[in-house]
Amino acid sequence: FPTRRSSDLDRRQSRVRAAVHDDLDVLRDEVVASRMSSAEGEGGGGETDKYAGLGIGVAGLLAENLACHPFIVLRRQCQVNVASRRAHTTPLTLLPVFVNLYKWQGVAVLWKGVGSSLMIKGLNLGVEDCLGKVTPWPKEIDRHSSLNSLGQHLLLKCASAAIITPFFSASLVETVQSDIASEKPGVLDMFREGIVRLLSWSDPRCGRMLPVWVLVPPQVVHATSHYIISTIVQGLWLQEIGRAHV
């Protein structure tokens, strides 16, 4: 009898152990499945954030270059008009200017030179990338960057603005020249005119054209100042948005 009782007890213990092992295996499988599902969810969220950021960047680029270009054309048209007698401090005073431009050149005049403006943006990025590779000047900085890195970054911006000054001048001419008095510029005319201005550094071929070395200092000051002010304003705006959503 004792032997039979001990064998029954062993069988019961083995059954209990098997049941416990089965429960542990099921629990482990559930934990692994939950971890895999959470990892897939995080990966999906990262992909969503990536595409959302890309879409926002493209929308911002289009808004900056296409939606704002008509206002740049109006400003430059008023600046180069030698017969101008007043300063346009309100949007309403620009209506006669827009009516005259539409009357003589059509509504497409507001996007005149937009192609060369986009090329200038791409050329600027390319020059900055090349300078960043051949020099120790950083292309990007953040709030934790040192003063030395900040100065080198601004030096990179100044050098890039100085290099593209001839091409920027050619692009500016395309936005203000009249289609009636001159031929419509081609796609690569901006590069050709920029190279001509760059080769004639101190002796321009046209009598009314300023030498490039005269245009470089104001262009560098304007481009660097615009970059500094826009970066500061953008940083403050992002901080305010972050505080509003906290």
Side-chain angles (χ1 to χ4, degrees), residues 191-221:
F191 291 100
R192 181 175 59 84
E193 293 294 334
I195 293 174
V196 169
R197 293 169 184 264
L198 185 61
L199 294 178
S200 58
W201 178 266
S202 60
D203 185 18
R205 300 183 180 182
C206 181
R208 300 176 60 184
M209 186 185 302
L210 292 175
V212 177
W213 63 268
V214 177
L215 301 176
V216 168
Q219 168 63 14
V220 169
V221 173

Side-chain angles (χ1 to χ4, degrees), residues 22-40:
D22 293 339
D23 293 338
L24 290 176
D25 292 338
V26 172
L27 182 61
R28 183 178 58 188
D29 294 338
E30 291 179 354
V31 171
V32 172
S34 63
R35 289 181 178 178
M36 293 179 61
S37 62
S38 62
E40 292 177 357

Side-chain angles (χ1 to χ4, degrees), residues 64-65 68-77 79 117 175:
E64 180 182 359
N65 294 280
C68 297
H69 191 75
F71 302 98
I72 297 176
V73 172
L74 287 175
R75 184 192 67 191
R76 292 176 178 176
Q77 290 285 346
Q79 290 174 343
S117 297
T175 60

